[in-house]
Amino acid sequence: NAGVMQNPRHLVRRRGQEARLRCSPMKGHSHVYWYRQLPEEGLKFMVYLQKENIIDESGMPKERFSAEFPKEGPSILRIQQVVRGDSAAYFCASSPRRWQGTSNEQFFGPGTRLTVL
Amino acid sequence: KNEVEQSPQNLTAQEGEFITINCSYSVGISALHWLQQHPGGGIVSLFMLSSGKKKHGRLIATINIQEKHSSLHITASHPRDSAVYICAVEGSNYKLTFGKGTLLTVNP
């Protein structure tokens, strides 16, 4: 049973280009979370998705960032017109279906290190 | 004031020592998570707890909901335990809010 997979592991982009980060959740998991870890800072929540739905995107920057989790295929975090300040490690995590009022352990992927030149 | 405070920020120990890392939070939570992050590496979930105490091998996590405090203990520490340990609290909206982490170095 493969864990959470992210690709690419390392991504280099020049300012103004687009970055696409992919996350395949663990088998049977229908919830995906994206987190960002800026250099020398802690992890910050970005967005929480279920299949075909964005549940909470309160941590996403208002511009240039978008996320999706289609019915088929991986979850995608897309950053348009990247700037140097976007350089960070982006982690996704997945969890199985939630029942109302319960918490679930989140399983993290290895992360994508984005470097913007 | 951050919602999640960890102490200490840095901790150096000798192999075999008993380690304690503390986490205090200021909001109501549905669960608290302890995570481990190795340098340049990924993140591993160690514990998720909402009350009492959990134990996995040499790791023990406790939580006191009334005092809004949790501790992570490592017994018989080993150099391979060297990592950043992160406390995260989960609110009713399922979002995780993270502490800044504790960098643990265990010397042989």
Side-chain angles (χ1 to χ4, degrees):
Chain A
N1 186 13
V4 178
M5 298 173 67
Q6 288 187 250
N7 67 81
R9 295 289 302 274
H10 299 274
L11 182 61
V12 179
R13 285 286 179 265
R14 296 192 180 279
R15 281 179 296 168
Q17 292 184 319
E18 179 179 286
R20 279 186 181 237
L21 287 61
R22 293 174 186 77
C23 170
S24 296
M26 285 181 71
K27 188 175 180 180
H29 286 191
S30 56
H31 298 249
V32 165
Y33 316 80
W34 284 94
Y35 301 99
R36 178 165 66 173
Q37 188 173 40
L38 291 166
E40 307 303 322
E41 292 191 21
L43 286 154
K44 296 273 194 269
F45 167 82
M46 298 183 77
V47 62
Y48 166 31
L49 308 110
Q50 294 177 25
K51 287 278 188 185
E52 300 184 280
N53 281 312
I54 296 174
I55 306 303
D56 185 335
E57 57 181 345
S58 58
M60 290 277 270
K62 294 285 185 275
E63 297 176 350
R64 302 187 298 108
F65 284 72
S66 62
E68 62 175 4
F69 188 16
K71 188 176 180 181
E72 301 291 337
S75 176
I76 307 284
L77 178 68
R78 182 181 176 207
I79 311 172
Q80 295 178 290
Q81 299 175 326
V82 295
V83 301
R84 289 215 174 107
D86 297 332
S87 295
Y90 292 83
F91 291 92
C92 84
S94 72
S95 68
R97 178 179 177 175
R98 286 186 178 281
W99 301 101
Q100 191 165 0
T102 65
S103 295
N104 278 331
E105 185 176 5
Q106 295 185 21
F107 296 82
F108 284 78
T112 294
R113 271 83 181 162
L114 172 66
T115 301
V116 180
L117 301 177
Chain B
K1 188 180 189 302
N2 293 327
E3 290 183 359
V4 182
E5 296 277 357
Q6 284 187 238
S7 63
Q9 277 189 294
N10 294 282
L11 180 56
T12 300
Q14 287 301 121
E15 184 173 355
E17 286 185 359
F18 181 82
I19 304 288
T20 295
I21 300 170
N22 295 299
C23 176
S24 297
Y25 54 93
S26 57
V27 296
I29 66 169
S30 57
L32 185 142
H33 301 247
W34 281 102
L35 310 169
Q36 180 192 56
Q37 185 174 28
H38 283 278
I43 297 168
V44 174
S45 175
L46 298 175
F47 293 103
M48 184 191 75
L49 65 166
S50 53
S51 65
K53 177 178 172 178
K54 286 191 176 180
K55 184 175 188 291
H56 290 155
R58 295 181 294 106
L59 300 178
I60 303 166
T62 63
I63 188 168
N64 184 318
I65 296 293
Q66 286 73 31
E67 295 187 3
K68 293 188 166 60
H69 182 269
S70 175
S71 293
L72 176 68
H73 306 285
I74 305 175
T75 61
S77 59
H78 190 276
R80 65 174 175 266
D81 297 325
S82 298
V84 176
Y85 292 83
I86 303 168
C87 168
V89 298
E90 180 176 342
S92 58
N93 56 5
Y94 308 130
K95 283 164 51 176
L96 293 185
T97 302
F98 299 85
K100 291 184 188 256
T102 294
L103 175 60
L104 171 65
T105 304
V106 182
N107 294 317

